[in-house]
Amino acid sequence: MTSPLDRFYQAIRDVPDFPEKGIVYKDITPLLHAPDLFVQATEKMTVGISSADVDKVLVIEARGFLFAGPVAKALDAGIVLARKAGKLPWKRRRVEYSLEYGTDAIEIHEDAVEPGERVLVVDDVLATGGTARAAAQIVEESGGRLAGFCFLIELAFLDGRSRLPDGPVNSLLTYPRVSG
Ligand code: AMP
């Protein structure tokens, strides 16, 4: 039987050994190519999240930016850009986090999150959770409150969810795929 989610799963392309050997890259570009599919996916990603609970969505460079417009519109929220180090033009706040080898960093503008604002973190893929966790930390260090996390894809076998602070975690597509 065809599940409502089948069209989304079919539009995600697995690219083995990219960007390095052993990684199966989840390529979302076929989902973007279809006229209606990406917008439908963004609508489903936020099911269960109330606009009354979210002041801003924080999106992570680069593919996370794609979700900013539709998710912010659905939740009537502002948008915070979290970028790689050195890309933002104004005063910045930075959080460094570890990768398998070495470290990476994300930055937001100092005035992007007002104290007490509730911020939903949004990205395309939850893998090990390091990036989303750093995003949560930068929200908290700005004086904001975490409203939860929203992903298109969760690589559940990497258990990134367990590295995230408490709060709702929405992911539309899960790998390995569970029925539904
Ligand atoms: P992580 O910090 O390990 O949770 O990785 C999340 C970030 O890396 C996201 O911004 C993703 O865009 C990217 N990413 C990690 N693994 C993959 C993958 N297998 N396919 C596509 N993107 C990935």
Side-chain angles (χ1 to χ4, degrees):
M1 213 177 73
T2 313
S3 120
L5 290 177
D6 280 344
R7 288 182 69 218
F8 301 121
Y9 276 105
Q10 284 160 9
I12 305 299
R13 177 163 48 206
D14 279 0
V15 184
D17 298 325
F18 183 88
E20 54 190 73
K21 203 158 177 50
I23 305 285
V24 180
Y25 186 87
K26 297 293 182 195
D27 176 17
I28 67 167
T29 60
L31 182 80
L32 302 176
H33 297 159
D36 58 335
L37 217 49
F38 175 67
V39 171
Q40 284 179 23
T42 56
E43 283 166 7
K44 290 192 186 297
M45 273 169 70
T46 54
V47 165
I49 299 171
S50 165
S51 64
D53 296 330
V54 179
D55 299 305
K56 284 186 174 145
V57 294
L58 180 148
V59 289
I60 300 170
E61 184 175 0
R63 284 177 307 281
F65 286 6
L66 294 165
F67 299 90
V71 173
K73 183 166 191 290
L75 297 175
D76 192 22
I79 296 169
V80 175
L81 299 183
R83 301 210 61 181
K84 308 285 181 193
K87 300 272 192 179
L88 285 169
W90 201 62
K91 292 179 191 167
R92 296 171 291 269
R93 181 184 294 283
R94 172 190 296 216
V95 165
E96 294 193 356
Y97 58 101
S98 23
L99 301 170
E100 197 174 357
Y101 299 103
T103 61
D104 211 341
I106 54 169
E107 296 180 339
I108 63 172
H109 274 154
E110 265 183 20
D111 62 353
V113 176
E114 304 281 338
E117 276 186 330
R118 293 149 313 166
V119 182
L120 178 74
V121 172
V122 179
D123 202 1
D124 64 334
V125 174
L126 172 64
T128 66
T131 310
R133 192 172 132 124
Q137 192 182 332
I138 214 165
V139 168
E140 276 155 10
E141 288 181 7
S142 305
R145 288 185 286 150
L146 204 59
F149 300 87
C150 205
F151 304 97
L152 177 69
I153 293 169
E154 177 175 354
L155 305 181
F157 56 89
L158 294 175
D159 200 21
R161 202 175 261 260
S162 69
R163 297 185 68 197
L164 303 181
D166 285 345
V169 180
N170 266 24
S171 47
L172 182 62
L173 309 175
T174 308
Y175 294 85
R177 187 173 175 186
V178 285
S179 56

Short mmCIF file of all heavy atoms in Angstrom, two decimals, residues 83-131:
data_model
loop_
_atom_site.label_atom_id
_atom_site.label_comp_id
_atom_site.label_asym_id
_atom_site.label_seq_id
_atom_site.Cartn_x
_atom_site.Cartn_y
_atom_site.Cartn_z
N ARG A 83 25.14 30.80 10.57
CA ARG A 83 26.07 30.63 9.44
C ARG A 83 27.40 30.09 9.91
O ARG A 83 27.73 30.12 11.09
CB ARG A 83 26.27 31.98 8.74
CG ARG A 83 24.97 32.58 8.20
CD ARG A 83 25.20 33.43 6.98
NE ARG A 83 25.77 32.65 5.89
CZ ARG A 83 26.09 33.17 4.71
NH1 ARG A 83 25.90 34.44 4.47
NH2 ARG A 83 26.60 32.39 3.77
N LYS A 84 28.16 29.60 8.96
CA LYS A 84 29.53 29.17 9.25
C LYS A 84 30.36 30.39 9.63
O LYS A 84 30.00 31.53 9.26
CB LYS A 84 30.16 28.49 8.03
CG LYS A 84 29.33 27.38 7.43
CD LYS A 84 29.37 26.12 8.26
CE LYS A 84 28.52 25.07 7.58
NZ LYS A 84 28.19 23.92 8.32
N ALA A 85 31.47 30.15 10.31
CA ALA A 85 32.29 31.25 10.83
C ALA A 85 32.71 32.23 9.73
O ALA A 85 33.09 31.83 8.64
CB ALA A 85 33.52 30.68 11.51
N GLY A 86 32.59 33.53 10.05
CA GLY A 86 33.12 34.57 9.16
C GLY A 86 32.19 35.03 8.05
O GLY A 86 32.57 35.87 7.24
N LYS A 87 30.97 34.52 7.99
CA LYS A 87 30.08 34.87 6.88
C LYS A 87 29.13 36.01 7.21
O LYS A 87 28.64 36.69 6.32
CB LYS A 87 29.23 33.66 6.48
CG LYS A 87 30.02 32.47 6.03
CD LYS A 87 30.29 32.54 4.55
CE LYS A 87 30.83 31.22 4.04
NZ LYS A 87 31.08 31.27 2.61
N LEU A 88 28.81 36.17 8.48
CA LEU A 88 27.83 37.20 8.85
C LEU A 88 28.52 38.55 8.95
O LEU A 88 29.65 38.65 9.45
CB LEU A 88 27.15 36.84 10.18
CG LEU A 88 26.10 35.73 10.09
CD1 LEU A 88 25.71 35.27 11.49
CD2 LEU A 88 24.87 36.18 9.32
N PRO A 89 27.85 39.63 8.51
CA PRO A 89 28.55 40.91 8.41
C PRO A 89 28.63 41.71 9.70
O PRO A 89 29.48 42.61 9.82
CB PRO A 89 27.69 41.66 7.38
CG PRO A 89 26.31 41.10 7.54
CD PRO A 89 26.51 39.65 7.90
N TRP A 90 27.74 41.45 10.65
CA TRP A 90 27.66 42.36 11.80
C TRP A 90 28.23 41.68 13.05
O TRP A 90 28.90 40.66 12.95
CB TRP A 90 26.19 42.80 11.97
CG TRP A 90 26.06 44.06 12.74
CD1 TRP A 90 26.55 45.29 12.40
CD2 TRP A 90 25.43 44.20 14.01
NE1 TRP A 90 26.25 46.19 13.38
CE2 TRP A 90 25.57 45.56 14.38
CE3 TRP A 90 24.78 43.32 14.86
CZ2 TRP A 90 25.06 46.04 15.58
CZ3 TRP A 90 24.27 43.80 16.05
CH2 TRP A 90 24.42 45.15 16.40
N LYS A 91 27.90 42.21 14.26
CA LYS A 91 28.45 41.64 15.50
C LYS A 91 27.91 40.23 15.70
O LYS A 91 26.71 40.02 15.57
CB LYS A 91 28.04 42.50 16.70
CG LYS A 91 28.70 43.85 16.70
CD LYS A 91 28.22 44.66 17.90
CE LYS A 91 28.66 46.09 17.78
NZ LYS A 91 27.98 46.96 18.74
N ARG A 92 28.79 39.31 16.04
CA ARG A 92 28.43 37.89 16.03
C ARG A 92 28.62 37.23 17.39
O ARG A 92 29.47 37.62 18.17
CB ARG A 92 29.31 37.14 15.03
CG ARG A 92 29.10 37.56 13.60
CD ARG A 92 30.16 36.95 12.69
NE ARG A 92 31.48 37.50 12.94
CZ ARG A 92 31.97 38.57 12.30
NH1 ARG A 92 31.27 39.17 11.38
NH2 ARG A 92 33.17 39.01 12.58
N ARG A 93 27.84 36.19 17.57
CA ARG A 93 28.00 35.27 18.71
C ARG A 93 28.34 33.93 18.10
O ARG A 93 27.75 33.54 17.09
CB ARG A 93 26.66 35.20 19.43
CG ARG A 93 26.61 34.35 20.63
CD ARG A 93 25.18 34.33 21.15
NE ARG A 93 24.72 35.63 21.63
CZ ARG A 93 25.05 36.16 22.80
NH1 ARG A 93 25.86 35.50 23.61
NH2 ARG A 93 24.58 37.33 23.18
N ARG A 94 29.31 33.21 18.71
CA ARG A 94 29.80 31.98 18.07
C ARG A 94 29.75 30.79 19.05
O ARG A 94 29.99 30.95 20.24
CB ARG A 94 31.26 32.18 17.66
CG ARG A 94 31.93 30.90 17.16
CD ARG A 94 33.42 31.08 16.99
NE ARG A 94 33.70 32.06 15.95
CZ ARG A 94 34.72 31.99 15.10
NH1 ARG A 94 35.54 30.97 15.17
NH2 ARG A 94 34.93 32.92 14.21
N VAL A 95 29.44 29.62 18.53
CA VAL A 95 29.57 28.38 19.31
C VAL A 95 30.39 27.39 18.47
O VAL A 95 30.09 27.17 17.30
CB VAL A 95 28.20 27.77 19.67
CG1 VAL A 95 28.34 26.33 20.13
CG2 VAL A 95 27.52 28.58 20.77
N GLU A 96 31.43 26.84 19.10
CA GLU A 96 32.23 25.82 18.41
C GLU A 96 31.77 24.45 18.84
O GLU A 96 31.30 24.27 19.97
CB GLU A 96 33.71 26.00 18.77
CG GLU A 96 34.23 27.31 18.21
CD GLU A 96 35.73 27.45 18.24
OE1 GLU A 96 36.42 26.55 18.78
OE2 GLU A 96 36.20 28.49 17.74
N TYR A 97 31.87 23.50 17.96
CA TYR A 97 31.46 22.13 18.29
C TYR A 97 32.37 21.15 17.59
O TYR A 97 32.99 21.47 16.58
CB TYR A 97 29.99 21.89 17.94
CG TYR A 97 29.61 22.11 16.50
CD1 TYR A 97 29.46 21.04 15.64
CD2 TYR A 97 29.39 23.39 16.01
CE1 TYR A 97 29.09 21.24 14.31
CE2 TYR A 97 29.04 23.59 14.69
CZ TYR A 97 28.88 22.52 13.85
OH TYR A 97 28.53 22.72 12.54
N SER A 98 32.45 19.94 18.15
CA SER A 98 33.40 18.98 17.58
C SER A 98 32.78 18.13 16.50
O SER A 98 31.60 17.77 16.54
CB SER A 98 34.02 18.10 18.66
OG SER A 98 33.22 18.04 19.77
N LEU A 99 33.59 17.86 15.50
CA LEU A 99 33.24 16.92 14.44
C LEU A 99 34.02 15.64 14.73
O LEU A 99 34.79 15.57 15.69
CB LEU A 99 33.67 17.48 13.09
CG LEU A 99 33.07 18.83 12.69
CD1 LEU A 99 33.76 19.37 11.46
CD2 LEU A 99 31.58 18.68 12.44
N GLU A 100 33.85 14.65 13.86
CA GLU A 100 34.60 13.41 14.04
C GLU A 100 36.11 13.73 14.10
O GLU A 100 36.84 13.22 14.93
CB GLU A 100 34.29 12.48 12.89
CG GLU A 100 34.69 11.05 13.17
CD GLU A 100 34.22 10.12 12.07
OE1 GLU A 100 33.55 10.58 11.14
OE2 GLU A 100 34.55 8.93 12.17
N TYR A 101 36.56 14.59 13.16
CA TYR A 101 37.94 15.07 13.21
C TYR A 101 37.87 16.58 13.22
O TYR A 101 37.34 17.18 12.31
CB TYR A 101 38.72 14.62 11.97
CG TYR A 101 38.81 13.12 11.86
CD1 TYR A 101 38.00 12.43 10.96
CD2 TYR A 101 39.67 12.39 12.68
CE1 TYR A 101 38.06 11.06 10.87
CE2 TYR A 101 39.73 11.02 12.60
CZ TYR A 101 38.93 10.36 11.68
OH TYR A 101 38.98 9.01 11.61
N GLY A 102 38.43 17.21 14.27
CA GLY A 102 38.49 18.67 14.32
C GLY A 102 37.23 19.31 14.87
O GLY A 102 36.41 18.66 15.52
N THR A 103 37.11 20.62 14.60
CA THR A 103 35.96 21.38 15.12
C THR A 103 35.34 22.22 14.00
O THR A 103 35.96 22.45 12.97
CB THR A 103 36.38 22.35 16.25
OG1 THR A 103 37.31 23.27 15.73
CG2 THR A 103 36.94 21.63 17.44
N ASP A 104 34.12 22.65 14.26
CA ASP A 104 33.44 23.56 13.36
C ASP A 104 32.79 24.63 14.23
O ASP A 104 32.81 24.51 15.46
CB ASP A 104 32.38 22.80 12.53
CG ASP A 104 32.19 23.43 11.16
OD1 ASP A 104 32.58 24.60 10.98
OD2 ASP A 104 31.64 22.75 10.27
N ALA A 105 32.22 25.64 13.62
CA ALA A 105 31.57 26.69 14.42
C ALA A 105 30.38 27.24 13.66
O ALA A 105 30.38 27.27 12.43
CB ALA A 105 32.56 27.82 14.71
N ILE A 106 29.36 27.66 14.41
CA ILE A 106 28.27 28.42 13.80
C ILE A 106 28.18 29.77 14.52
O ILE A 106 28.56 29.89 15.69
CB ILE A 106 26.89 27.70 13.87
CG1 ILE A 106 26.54 27.29 15.29
CG2 ILE A 106 26.83 26.53 12.90
CD1 ILE A 106 25.09 26.83 15.42
N GLU A 107 27.67 30.74 13.79
CA GLU A 107 27.53 32.08 14.33
C GLU A 107 26.15 32.64 14.02
O GLU A 107 25.56 32.29 12.98
CB GLU A 107 28.58 33.02 13.70
CG GLU A 107 30.01 32.63 14.03
CD GLU A 107 31.05 33.56 13.42
OE1 GLU A 107 30.74 34.25 12.43
OE2 GLU A 107 32.17 33.58 13.94
N ILE A 108 25.65 33.49 14.91
CA ILE A 108 24.45 34.27 14.63
C ILE A 108 24.75 35.72 14.99
O ILE A 108 25.71 36.00 15.71
CB ILE A 108 23.19 33.78 15.41
CG1 ILE A 108 23.40 33.95 16.93
CG2 ILE A 108 22.85 32.35 15.06
CD1 ILE A 108 22.12 33.66 17.74
N HIS A 109 23.95 36.62 14.48
CA HIS A 109 24.12 38.02 14.88
C HIS A 109 23.72 38.19 16.34
O HIS A 109 22.78 37.55 16.81
CB HIS A 109 23.27 38.93 13.99
CG HIS A 109 23.96 39.33 12.72
ND1 HIS A 109 23.28 39.68 11.58
CD2 HIS A 109 25.28 39.44 12.40
CE1 HIS A 109 24.14 40.00 10.63
NE2 HIS A 109 25.36 39.85 11.10
N GLU A 110 24.42 39.10 17.00
CA GLU A 110 24.19 39.33 18.43
C GLU A 110 22.76 39.73 18.74
O GLU A 110 22.25 39.45 19.83
CB GLU A 110 25.13 40.44 18.93
CG GLU A 110 26.40 39.90 19.53
CD GLU A 110 27.27 41.01 20.07
OE1 GLU A 110 26.77 42.14 20.33
OE2 GLU A 110 28.46 40.75 20.23
N ASP A 111 22.12 40.44 17.80
CA ASP A 111 20.76 40.91 18.06
C ASP A 111 19.69 39.99 17.45
O ASP A 111 18.52 40.36 17.38
CB ASP A 111 20.57 42.33 17.51
CG ASP A 111 20.75 42.40 15.99
OD1 ASP A 111 21.15 41.39 15.39
OD2 ASP A 111 20.50 43.48 15.42
N ALA A 112 20.10 38.78 17.05
CA ALA A 112 19.15 37.91 16.34
C ALA A 112 18.10 37.31 17.27
O ALA A 112 16.95 37.08 16.86
CB ALA A 112 19.90 36.78 15.63
N VAL A 113 18.50 37.03 18.50
CA VAL A 113 17.57 36.43 19.47
C VAL A 113 17.47 37.36 20.67
O VAL A 113 18.47 37.67 21.32
CB VAL A 113 18.06 35.03 19.93
CG1 VAL A 113 17.14 34.45 20.99
CG2 VAL A 113 18.20 34.08 18.74
N GLU A 114 16.26 37.80 20.97
CA GLU A 114 16.03 38.66 22.15
C GLU A 114 15.86 37.77 23.38
O GLU A 114 15.33 36.66 23.26
CB GLU A 114 14.73 39.46 21.96
CG GLU A 114 14.66 40.30 20.70
CD GLU A 114 15.44 41.60 20.83
OE1 GLU A 114 15.67 42.04 21.97
OE2 GLU A 114 15.81 42.15 19.78
N PRO A 115 16.27 38.27 24.55
CA PRO A 115 16.09 37.47 25.76
C PRO A 115 14.65 37.01 25.92
O PRO A 115 13.71 37.80 25.74
CB PRO A 115 16.49 38.43 26.89
CG PRO A 115 17.42 39.39 26.24
CD PRO A 115 16.94 39.54 24.81
N GLY A 116 14.47 35.73 26.21
CA GLY A 116 13.13 35.17 26.45
C GLY A 116 12.43 34.69 25.20
O GLY A 116 11.41 34.00 25.29
N GLU A 117 12.95 35.02 24.03
CA GLU A 117 12.28 34.55 22.81
C GLU A 117 12.38 33.04 22.67
O GLU A 117 13.43 32.45 22.98
CB GLU A 117 12.91 35.21 21.57
CG GLU A 117 12.35 36.56 21.28
CD GLU A 117 12.87 37.13 19.97
OE1 GLU A 117 14.00 36.83 19.57
OE2 GLU A 117 12.14 37.94 19.38
N ARG A 118 11.29 32.45 22.14
CA ARG A 118 11.28 30.99 21.95
C ARG A 118 11.67 30.67 20.51
O ARG A 118 11.07 31.18 19.56
CB ARG A 118 9.90 30.44 22.28
CG ARG A 118 9.57 30.57 23.76
CD ARG A 118 8.13 30.76 24.00
NE ARG A 118 7.56 31.78 23.13
CZ ARG A 118 6.26 31.95 22.95
NH1 ARG A 118 5.41 31.17 23.57
NH2 ARG A 118 5.79 32.89 22.16
N VAL A 119 12.71 29.85 20.41
CA VAL A 119 13.34 29.63 19.11
C VAL A 119 13.29 28.15 18.73
O VAL A 119 13.69 27.28 19.50
CB VAL A 119 14.81 30.11 19.13
CG1 VAL A 119 15.46 29.92 17.77
CG2 VAL A 119 14.90 31.57 19.58
N LEU A 120 12.79 27.90 17.51
CA LEU A 120 12.73 26.55 16.96
C LEU A 120 13.92 26.38 16.01
O LEU A 120 14.10 27.18 15.10
CB LEU A 120 11.41 26.38 16.19
CG LEU A 120 11.18 25.05 15.49
CD1 LEU A 120 10.84 23.96 16.51
CD2 LEU A 120 10.05 25.18 14.46
N VAL A 121 14.71 25.33 16.22
CA VAL A 121 15.89 25.06 15.37
C VAL A 121 15.46 24.18 14.20
O VAL A 121 14.83 23.14 14.40
CB VAL A 121 17.00 24.36 16.19
CG1 VAL A 121 18.14 23.91 15.29
CG2 VAL A 121 17.50 25.29 17.30
N VAL A 122 15.82 24.60 12.98
CA VAL A 122 15.36 23.89 11.77
C VAL A 122 16.55 23.58 10.86
O VAL A 122 17.39 24.45 10.60
CB VAL A 122 14.34 24.77 10.99
CG1 VAL A 122 13.88 24.05 9.73
CG2 VAL A 122 13.14 25.12 11.85
N ASP A 123 16.63 22.33 10.41
CA ASP A 123 17.69 21.96 9.45
C ASP A 123 17.18 20.83 8.57
O ASP A 123 16.13 20.24 8.83
CB ASP A 123 18.96 21.54 10.21
CG ASP A 123 20.22 21.68 9.35
OD1 ASP A 123 20.13 22.10 8.18
OD2 ASP A 123 21.31 21.34 9.86
N ASP A 124 17.95 20.51 7.51
CA ASP A 124 17.50 19.45 6.61
C ASP A 124 17.71 18.07 7.22
O ASP A 124 16.82 17.23 7.16
CB ASP A 124 18.18 19.56 5.22
CG ASP A 124 19.68 19.36 5.25
OD1 ASP A 124 20.30 19.61 6.30
OD2 ASP A 124 20.24 18.95 4.21
N VAL A 125 18.89 17.83 7.81
CA VAL A 125 19.22 16.47 8.27
C VAL A 125 19.71 16.51 9.72
O VAL A 125 20.59 17.31 10.07
CB VAL A 125 20.34 15.84 7.39
CG1 VAL A 125 20.78 14.50 7.93
CG2 VAL A 125 19.86 15.69 5.94
N LEU A 126 19.17 15.62 10.56
CA LEU A 126 19.74 15.36 11.88
C LEU A 126 20.59 14.10 11.74
O LEU A 126 20.06 13.01 11.48
CB LEU A 126 18.63 15.12 12.92
CG LEU A 126 19.10 14.66 14.30
CD1 LEU A 126 19.95 15.72 15.00
CD2 LEU A 126 17.91 14.29 15.19
N ALA A 127 21.90 14.25 11.88
CA ALA A 127 22.81 13.10 11.78
C ALA A 127 23.32 12.78 13.18
O ALA A 127 22.58 12.21 13.98
CB ALA A 127 23.90 13.39 10.76
N THR A 128 24.54 13.18 13.51
CA THR A 128 25.05 12.90 14.86
C THR A 128 24.48 13.85 15.92
O THR A 128 24.63 13.62 17.11
CB THR A 128 26.58 13.04 14.91
OG1 THR A 128 26.93 14.41 14.68
CG2 THR A 128 27.25 12.14 13.88
N GLY A 129 23.89 14.95 15.47
CA GLY A 129 23.28 15.90 16.40
C GLY A 129 24.19 17.03 16.83
O GLY A 129 23.75 17.95 17.51
N GLY A 130 25.46 16.99 16.43
CA GLY A 130 26.41 18.02 16.87
C GLY A 130 26.02 19.42 16.43
O GLY A 130 26.12 20.37 17.21
N THR A 131 25.56 19.54 15.20
CA THR A 131 25.21 20.86 14.68
C THR A 131 23.98 21.42 15.38
O THR A 131 23.96 22.58 15.80
CB THR A 131 24.93 20.76 13.16
OG1 THR A 131 26.00 20.05 12.53
CG2 THR A 131 24.79 22.13 12.53
#
